[in-house]
Amino acid sequence: QISGYSSSEFNSGKINWIDIIHPDDKDGVLQESIQVSQQPVSLSQEYRIVTKGGGIRWVLDKKTALFSDSGQFSGVDGIVIDITKQKQLEQKLSESEEKFRAIFTNVKDGILVGNASTKKFTMANNTICEMLGYTEEELLLLSVENIHPETALPKIIAAFERQARKEFRVAED
């Protein structure tokens, strides 16, 4: 089902699993798979295959080497799982994280992210660090509960007031 080929096509020798491994992945898969015929090991490999219709599918290939009592290689027991959707989701998540990081890093507004349950700050962008006069490391050591009103709070309020004045002047121009 994953490859688009029938079991009879594989069993007849018309097509071999190695033949459908994506050309860019084939050498790596084969190099690692050599171990299976040489010693009793189990492998998990992620790679692409080219389907009968010409599509690309990602698979997780889990295999275990089988050896006779005399130590002779006798075959492989394994399963191939289609992980294409997982790989697509991982790619989308990675792209989304890249976009978030770019926005978080380059935005002109100060951003300080916290965890409500731990009351700890978890992320601080450069703008908020400059506004408050803290390094990111210093901000991440602070928690909502240990910001002293006589020291940190006035700095935070003053920074937000400065930012508001700056934005107001820009808006007037």
Side-chain angles (χ1 to χ4, degrees):
Q1 287 179 322
I2 297 170
S3 69
Y5 293 97
S6 68
S7 57
S8 61
E9 287 175 292
F10 281 112
N11 292 335
S12 71
K14 264 182 157 177
I15 188 80
N16 188 319
W17 186 259
I18 292 169
D19 298 333
I20 68 170
I21 296 173
H22 191 281
D24 294 344
D25 299 341
K26 192 175 287 193
D27 286 342
V29 171
L30 293 175
Q31 287 291 333
E32 198 172 335
S33 294
I34 290 171
Q35 297 174 41
V36 174
S37 65
Q38 296 176 342
Q39 58 188 341
V41 295
S42 292
L43 291 179
S44 288
Q45 297 173 296
E46 291 183 6
Y47 55 89
R48 295 165 291 175
I49 62 168
V50 180
T51 67
K52 186 175 186 175
I56 305 294
R57 308 292 300 169
W58 276 94
V59 296
L60 171 61
D61 186 350
K62 293 182 166 207
K63 52 189 157 240
T64 300
L66 302 174
F67 286 82
S68 67
D69 291 339
S70 64
Q72 187 76 13
F73 176 71
S74 58
V76 176
D77 182 29
I79 185 168
V80 175
I81 303 164
D82 186 348
I83 59 169
T84 304
K85 286 187 180 179
Q86 176 186 332
K87 286 293 193 177
Q88 290 168 340
L89 289 172
E90 287 173 2
Q91 180 64 32
K92 286 181 181 179
L93 178 60
S94 176
E95 289 167 4
S96 177
E97 286 175 349
E98 284 179 31
K99 287 177 188 174
F100 169 78
R101 292 258 177 240
I103 292 168
F104 184 80
T105 303
N106 297 312
V107 71
K108 298 297 180 204
D109 295 319
I111 301 174
L112 187 57
V113 179
N115 181 315
S117 61
T118 64
K119 296 189 173 39
K120 286 285 207 183
F121 297 117
T122 56
M123 296 174 71
N125 70 354
N126 288 337
T127 305
I128 196 72
C129 293
E130 290 170 12
M131 288 169 64
L132 301 178
Y134 288 99
T135 66
E136 181 181 7
E137 293 77 24
E138 290 170 332
L139 281 172
L140 297 184
L141 289 174
L142 297 175
S143 74
V144 173
E145 294 172 332
N146 70 8
I147 291 180
H148 194 278
E150 293 176 15
T151 57
L153 198 54
K155 282 173 105 172
I156 293 171
I157 292 169
F160 284 115
E161 286 175 347
R162 280 192 308 278
Q163 190 68 23
R165 281 194 299 275
K166 234 192 290 187
E167 289 176 10
F168 182 69
R169 275 195 297 268
V170 170
E172 288 180 339
D173 293 343

mmCIF file of all heavy atoms in Angstrom, residues 16 36 53 58 89 98 100 113 115 121:
data_model
loop_
_atom_site.group_PDB
_atom_site.id
_atom_site.type_symbol
_atom_site.label_atom_id
_atom_site.label_comp_id
_atom_site.label_asym_id
_atom_site.label_seq_id
_atom_site.Cartn_x
_atom_site.Cartn_y
_atom_site.Cartn_z
ATOM 1 N N ASN A 16 12.175 -4.713 -6.656
ATOM 2 C CA ASN A 16 12.834 -5.001 -5.390
ATOM 3 C C ASN A 16 12.732 -3.751 -4.526
ATOM 4 O O ASN A 16 12.782 -2.638 -5.041
ATOM 5 C CB ASN A 16 14.306 -5.349 -5.677
ATOM 6 C CG ASN A 16 15.039 -5.848 -4.475
ATOM 7 O OD1 ASN A 16 14.888 -5.340 -3.377
ATOM 8 N ND2 ASN A 16 15.859 -6.865 -4.701
ATOM 9 N N VAL A 36 23.052 -5.496 9.153
ATOM 10 C CA VAL A 36 22.022 -6.491 9.429
ATOM 11 C C VAL A 36 22.460 -7.884 8.983
ATOM 12 O O VAL A 36 22.140 -8.872 9.628
ATOM 13 C CB VAL A 36 20.684 -6.087 8.750
ATOM 14 C CG1 VAL A 36 19.638 -7.168 8.891
ATOM 15 C CG2 VAL A 36 20.173 -4.787 9.336
ATOM 16 N N GLY A 53 3.536 5.325 -8.656
ATOM 17 C CA GLY A 53 3.015 6.474 -9.393
ATOM 18 C C GLY A 53 3.989 7.637 -9.490
ATOM 19 O O GLY A 53 3.659 8.691 -10.030
ATOM 20 N N TRP A 58 7.723 9.063 2.836
ATOM 21 C CA TRP A 58 8.699 8.829 3.895
ATOM 22 C C TRP A 58 8.300 7.555 4.620
ATOM 23 O O TRP A 58 7.121 7.341 4.896
ATOM 24 C CB TRP A 58 8.709 9.985 4.894
ATOM 25 C CG TRP A 58 9.552 11.137 4.482
ATOM 26 C CD1 TRP A 58 9.149 12.260 3.819
ATOM 27 C CD2 TRP A 58 10.944 11.294 4.715
ATOM 28 N NE1 TRP A 58 10.199 13.110 3.617
ATOM 29 C CE2 TRP A 58 11.326 12.541 4.164
ATOM 30 C CE3 TRP A 58 11.920 10.512 5.325
ATOM 31 C CZ2 TRP A 58 12.630 13.016 4.217
ATOM 32 C CZ3 TRP A 58 13.225 10.981 5.383
ATOM 33 C CH2 TRP A 58 13.563 12.219 4.835
ATOM 34 N N LEU A 89 4.247 17.311 8.792
ATOM 35 C CA LEU A 89 3.923 18.130 9.965
ATOM 36 C C LEU A 89 5.183 18.674 10.624
ATOM 37 O O LEU A 89 5.220 19.827 11.060
ATOM 38 C CB LEU A 89 3.099 17.320 10.970
ATOM 39 C CG LEU A 89 1.673 17.007 10.549
ATOM 40 C CD1 LEU A 89 1.019 16.036 11.540
ATOM 41 C CD2 LEU A 89 0.843 18.273 10.418
ATOM 42 N N GLU A 98 10.620 28.901 12.629
ATOM 43 C CA GLU A 98 11.549 29.852 12.007
ATOM 44 C C GLU A 98 10.891 31.222 11.857
ATOM 45 O O GLU A 98 11.513 32.249 12.130
ATOM 46 C CB GLU A 98 12.008 29.343 10.642
ATOM 47 C CG GLU A 98 13.034 28.249 10.701
ATOM 48 C CD GLU A 98 13.434 27.749 9.317
ATOM 49 O OE1 GLU A 98 13.421 28.552 8.356
ATOM 50 O OE2 GLU A 98 13.754 26.555 9.207
ATOM 51 N N PHE A 100 8.339 32.407 13.615
ATOM 52 C CA PHE A 100 8.161 32.966 14.953
ATOM 53 C C PHE A 100 9.465 33.574 15.454
ATOM 54 O O PHE A 100 9.486 34.701 15.955
ATOM 55 C CB PHE A 100 7.674 31.894 15.931
ATOM 56 C CG PHE A 100 7.738 32.344 17.360
ATOM 57 C CD1 PHE A 100 6.770 33.196 17.876
ATOM 58 C CD2 PHE A 100 8.774 31.945 18.198
ATOM 59 C CE1 PHE A 100 6.834 33.630 19.193
ATOM 60 C CE2 PHE A 100 8.851 32.371 19.503
ATOM 61 C CZ PHE A 100 7.872 33.221 20.007
ATOM 62 N N VAL A 113 8.042 36.755 27.557
ATOM 63 C CA VAL A 113 7.102 35.631 27.612
ATOM 64 C C VAL A 113 7.300 34.915 28.931
ATOM 65 O O VAL A 113 8.429 34.684 29.365
ATOM 66 C CB VAL A 113 7.352 34.646 26.442
ATOM 67 C CG1 VAL A 113 6.393 33.466 26.508
ATOM 68 C CG2 VAL A 113 7.225 35.378 25.109
ATOM 69 N N ASN A 115 5.653 31.803 31.841
ATOM 70 C CA ASN A 115 4.870 30.603 32.074
ATOM 71 C C ASN A 115 3.967 30.878 33.269
ATOM 72 O O ASN A 115 4.455 31.140 34.373
ATOM 73 C CB ASN A 115 5.806 29.425 32.341
ATOM 74 C CG ASN A 115 5.077 28.131 32.565
ATOM 75 O OD1 ASN A 115 4.099 28.060 33.295
ATOM 76 N ND2 ASN A 115 5.584 27.084 31.941
ATOM 77 N N PHE A 121 9.774 33.830 33.666
ATOM 78 C CA PHE A 121 9.896 34.300 32.302
ATOM 79 C C PHE A 121 10.664 33.242 31.520
ATOM 80 O O PHE A 121 11.642 32.680 32.011
ATOM 81 C CB PHE A 121 10.610 35.651 32.247
ATOM 82 C CG PHE A 121 9.834 36.728 32.960
ATOM 83 C CD1 PHE A 121 10.368 37.368 34.072
ATOM 84 C CD2 PHE A 121 8.567 37.094 32.538
ATOM 85 C CE1 PHE A 121 9.665 38.353 34.736
ATOM 86 C CE2 PHE A 121 7.847 38.077 33.190
ATOM 87 C CZ PHE A 121 8.393 38.716 34.292
#
